[in-house]
Amino acid sequence: MQSAVKAPLAAPPASTSHTVGSASLIVAYLEAIGVDHVFGVPGGAIEPLYNAMAQSMRQGGLRPVVARHEAGAAFMADGYARETGKIGVCVATSGPGATNLITGVACANDNGVPMLVITGQPSLPVFGKGALQESSCTGINTVGMFSHCTRYNTLVSHVDQLETKLVQALMRATQTPRGPVHLSIPLDILRAPVEQRLSPLHLQKLMRTPSMLDEEAVRELFLMLPGTRRMVLIIGGDCGEAIDAIIHFAEMTNSPFVTTPDAKGLINPHHGLYRGVFGFAGHRSAWEALNDDTELVLAIGTSLREWTSAAWSNSVLNRKLVHIDATDEHLRHSPMARHHVRGRIRTVFERLLDVMHIEQEALGMPWRASHNQTGSRAIVTLREPEKVQSQATPIKPQRLMVELSKRLPPTTRFLADAGNATAWAIHYLESRNNRRLGLVPTAGAGAGAGAGSDQGKSAGSAWRGERRQDRAGWLRVLMDFAPMGWAIGAAVGIAQAKPNCPVVCITGDGSYLMNGQEITVAAQEGLTVIFVILNDAALGMVKHGQRLAGAERVAFELPEVDYAAMARSMGVAGHVIRGPEDFDALDMNAILQRPGPTLLDVRIDGEEVPPMDLRMQTLEAGATT
């Protein structure tokens, strides 16, 4: 076989090195990759970086946002990264400043969120002398701690290392599998001049996600399709940038689809092929779709861990499975699968659709986008559907989700915090956003169903339209490592990234007591965030878990707190919601136009049990092994 002749590689541009301050070098790189906000808490060991940010801010560059706790700063950087697709940046001083970050960094690591974490250190000459808040290997070793929850982790021990290690960290944060990276920088290095040898602008090219594709694996998947009578898609949380192509593929093959809990916010919940959420707090209709004479199950962009595989359900982990993902880390969870396709998910489905369009006539395959979904609604079976219309006081959590669904505009970003808030939102919350996904318009509840139809477009071009920012969606929840209070900080980060879109944080009173002070960041920054507190004076998931398991009922009680009054004491508008009728008294338009947060203290019926059966099943199985 004759090989193609390759042109010689062009020589890289000549280096134009010059000397800058180390902290200014870091800021220049962050500006070059489009970062405009840095979240953190200042302190002595990190002060030079804040000085450099102050200079940048005066020139219209990036701006520091001061969190109330370092964990909140990490959660804010997490939310910012999810919304923008950029790297979230959080910073802290040495010692306890660094250790306070760890929970938020571990959360980002387990959820694949790209983040740059910068922590300070005392100056190098005082290492080992017992300096205040020393956190090197001779003190409280924070670099060692971060090694377990980052993709790249290093101490910058010489000023000439700074630029190289910074570039390596930024590249590693965005490479698959993505996640947080950590640089620990001593104070004297942050103050020192450094010779800049590389180009921050060139770094943008190095950070682009490559369109990796296993052509043979895609071809093998394509050949499975004609002989498959019934196929179901499981759409996972990593499908954000590929969702239009995936939905178009589902329409062309007339395949029902379900989502994992963290992917519900990526799809139109009114689509006629949607069958609900599979996994934690999911829907019976999703289980039935996977077990109803299904011959092939495509699990796409999902880790298949506990909550996304319905506690490792045999309905998915069997020989019907085809697992499509960009990371070996996820594919290793499905060794029993019939087939694996490794590659960037958007590239995989664009290539698969290309092959289908090219070869359908030659192979006699009548693949056309199915129009039998027009006018139909999604088939989703709710648990206790009668309670979504309940007029009872205190308000049922099921009814609360419906009120939020119908009263917020289509552009709203919802976040649900760890605990009962996640379960209620996954099962009952919907979006009014009927934006079409794929080729065929679908009618759903609410005004505007099917608006913006692309019926005039050709089948081969419709799915090549707007590409979403990776991970963008109307609902965000955590899987795997799920700290209480994440949504409170993440909502601030999302609002900072997208100030023109309403942001709603649904959290529990337990989470708010841990992290509620971050509401003052939203107030100080003038961010339109609605904080919805599920107030039942209890750690709800603990309380219900104890009841369902027949365990001792202990240590779940919380004090009865007037969170609306607490908010007003902080200069934040606060309202108490006791029943459905109280929503009618709210001027939602005024709330959404106010440059600042609003808190809704919702006194829910604490006796309502959330859809947490899957979690109980896993805990009980662990107790018997």
Side-chain angles (χ1 to χ4, degrees):
M1 180 177 178
Q2 187 176 5
S3 61
V5 177
K6 295 183 179 180
L9 294 175
S15 173
T16 56
S17 64
H18 60 285
T19 300
V20 297
S22 292
S24 297
L25 176 72
I26 295 171
V27 169
Y29 269 96
L30 296 181
E31 290 177 334
I33 61 174
V35 173
D36 46 19
H37 290 90
V38 173
F39 305 91
V41 179
I46 201 74
E47 196 59 38
L49 185 57
Y50 275 86
N51 291 338
M53 286 192 283
Q55 296 170 18
S56 173
M57 184 171 60
R58 285 195 293 270
Q59 298 170 5
L62 62 81
R63 191 167 67 83
V65 176
V66 181
R68 305 304 177 246
H69 188 276
E70 288 86 355
F75 295 152
M76 292 174 196
D78 179 314
Y80 176 90
R82 290 172 189 263
E83 182 62 36
T84 63
K86 302 174 184 178
I87 292 177
V89 182
C90 56
V91 301
T93 191
S94 59
T99 58
N100 283 346
L101 281 173
I102 287 179
T103 295
V105 176
C107 175
N109 186 64
D110 223 30
N111 287 272
V113 178
M115 182 184 294
L116 173 64
V117 182
I118 300 176
T119 62
Q121 288 275 9
S123 296
L124 282 165
V126 302
F127 276 21
K129 294 182 178 181
L132 178 68
Q133 298 180 343
E134 183 188 341
S135 43
S136 69
C137 61
T138 55
I140 301 299
N141 189 354
T142 56
V143 177
M145 294 179 188
F146 278 105
S147 67
H148 302 286
C149 58
T150 53
R151 304 292 184 181
Y152 179 86
N153 174 53
T154 186
L155 170 72
V156 180
S157 58
H158 192 282
V159 69
D160 287 341
Q161 298 174 356
L162 177 63
E163 187 173 27
T164 299
K165 287 188 171 182
L166 175 62
V167 168
Q168 289 177 352
L170 293 171
M171 290 178 62
R172 188 63 189 86
T174 56
Q175 291 172 352
T176 303
R178 301 180 305 175
V181 294
H182 173 231
L183 297 178
S184 181
I185 310 177
L187 178 60
D188 54 333
I189 290 180
L190 275 176
R191 287 174 171 166
V194 61
E195 186 177 357
Q196 181 178 341
R197 297 182 175 89
L198 306 176
S199 167
L201 296 176
H202 184 63
L203 177 61
Q204 291 178 312
K205 298 178 181 178
L206 296 175
M207 291 173 60
R208 290 176 185 166
T209 304
S211 295
M212 304 293 289
L213 179 67
D214 185 340
E215 185 74 37
E216 183 177 343
V218 173
R219 183 74 183 180
E220 187 173 342
L221 172 58
F222 166 74
L223 294 175
M224 294 179 188
L225 302 181
T228 301
R229 294 192 307 274
R230 178 175 170 80
M231 177 171 60
V232 177
L233 278 57
I234 302 176
I235 298 174
D238 288 340
C239 293
E241 67 168 1
I243 194 65
D244 292 308
I246 292 170
I247 298 298
H248 183 53
F249 172 82
E251 291 168 345
M252 288 189 69
T253 56
N254 197 28
S255 300
F257 63 87
V258 302
T259 73
T260 57
D262 55 333
K264 181 179 179 180
L266 298 177
I267 59 95
N268 176 355
H270 308 293
H271 194 290
L273 288 169
Y274 178 53
R275 298 294 180 264
V277 172
F278 177 76
F280 177 75
H283 303 99
R284 179 174 295 277
S285 49
W287 284 81
E288 292 171 349
L290 289 166
N291 290 284
D292 186 14
D293 299 322
T294 299
E295 296 178 351
L296 200 63
V297 175
L298 269 57
I300 311 159
T302 176
S303 66
L304 294 180
R305 295 180 181 176
E306 179 183 337
W307 278 16
T308 54
S309 68
W312 309 284
S313 169
N314 291 332
S315 298
V316 172
L317 300 180
N318 56 48
R319 287 291 294 169
K320 297 178 183 178
L321 177 65
V322 173
H323 195 178
I324 304 170
D325 208 283
T327 71
D328 291 333
E329 191 173 292
H330 290 175
L331 294 174
R332 281 194 292 269
H333 293 159
S334 59
M336 76 299 295
R338 175 178 172 183
H339 185 50
H340 294 88
V341 181
R342 182 183 293 100
R344 186 176 182 180
I345 297 168
R346 188 182 80 193
T347 307
V348 168
F349 275 88
E350 288 182 349
R351 180 58 181 152
L352 188 58
L353 288 166
D354 279 341
V355 174
M356 291 169 67
H357 283 297
I358 291 169
E359 301 202 17
Q360 60 183 351
E361 295 182 5
L363 298 178
M365 298 174 182
W367 283 324
R368 293 288 187 273
S370 172
H371 287 259
N372 64 4
Q373 308 308 322
T374 304
S376 65
R377 278 188 57 86
I379 302 172
V380 178
T381 306
L382 294 179
R383 173 180 172 175
E384 300 181 308
E386 70 281 358
K387 292 184 178 178
V388 302
Q389 301 298 331
S390 172
Q391 296 291 332
T393 299
I395 190 171
K396 302 287 186 184
Q398 301 93 326
R399 177 64 186 268
L400 171 62
M401 295 301 117
V402 171
E403 292 297 326
L404 295 175
S405 300
K406 72 182 183 181
R407 293 178 183 272
L408 276 299
T411 55
T412 302
R413 269 66 168 162
F414 291 96
L415 298 92
D417 224 333
N420 286 355
T422 291
W424 292 124
I426 289 171
H427 198 87
Y428 289 100
L429 191 69
E430 286 194 350
S431 170
R432 286 171 51 195
N433 188 352
N434 286 344
R435 172 189 181 273
R436 283 209 333 84
L437 300 176
L439 180 67
V440 183
T442 59
S453 169
D454 290 328
Q455 285 180 305
K457 293 184 178 181
S458 67
S461 64
W463 56 272
R464 289 190 181 278
E466 174 194 352
R467 285 173 174 166
R468 300 182 184 189
Q469 196 61 260
D470 196 14
R471 295 177 178 266
W474 60 268
L475 171 64
R476 293 175 176 87
V477 297
L478 285 178
M479 300 291 97
D480 309 323
F481 199 88
M484 294 173 63
W486 160 83
I488 297 171
V492 174
I494 289 173
Q496 197 71 263
K498 208 86 168 190
N500 296 324
C501 291
V503 178
V504 176
C505 169
I506 307 171
T507 188
D509 45 358
S511 292
Y512 193 78
L513 287 172
M514 284 186 184
N515 300 274
Q517 70 279 358
E518 304 298 348
I519 197 173
T520 63
V521 181
Q524 189 172 7
E525 296 289 320
L527 301 174
T528 304
V529 183
I530 302 174
F531 292 89
V532 180
I533 314 298
L534 306 185
N535 187 355
D536 59 355
L539 297 172
M541 188 162 280
V542 175
K543 178 179 76 172
H544 293 297
Q546 290 172 354
R547 289 180 177 180
L548 293 173
E552 294 284 351
R553 296 181 59 189
V554 62
F556 63 81
E557 303 95 338
L558 294 175
E560 294 185 1
V561 176
D562 187 336
Y563 294 100
M566 181 187 292
R568 289 192 289 269
S569 74
M570 298 177 178
V572 174
H575 306 274
V576 174
I577 304 293
R578 292 183 172 85
E581 67 281 357
D582 291 332
F583 276 101
D584 294 329
L586 295 178
D587 186 343
M588 192 60 71
N589 287 332
I591 289 173
L592 295 176
Q593 292 171 10
R594 181 185 303 123
T598 300
L599 184 141
L600 304 183
D601 181 352
V602 185
R603 313 292 171 83
I604 63 169
D605 184 346
E607 296 306 304
E608 289 296 320
V609 181
M612 55 183 289
D613 311 68
L614 180 66
R615 179 61 177 155
M616 298 307 303
Q617 172 189 327
T618 306
L619 291 173
E620 290 168 8
T624 59
T625 56

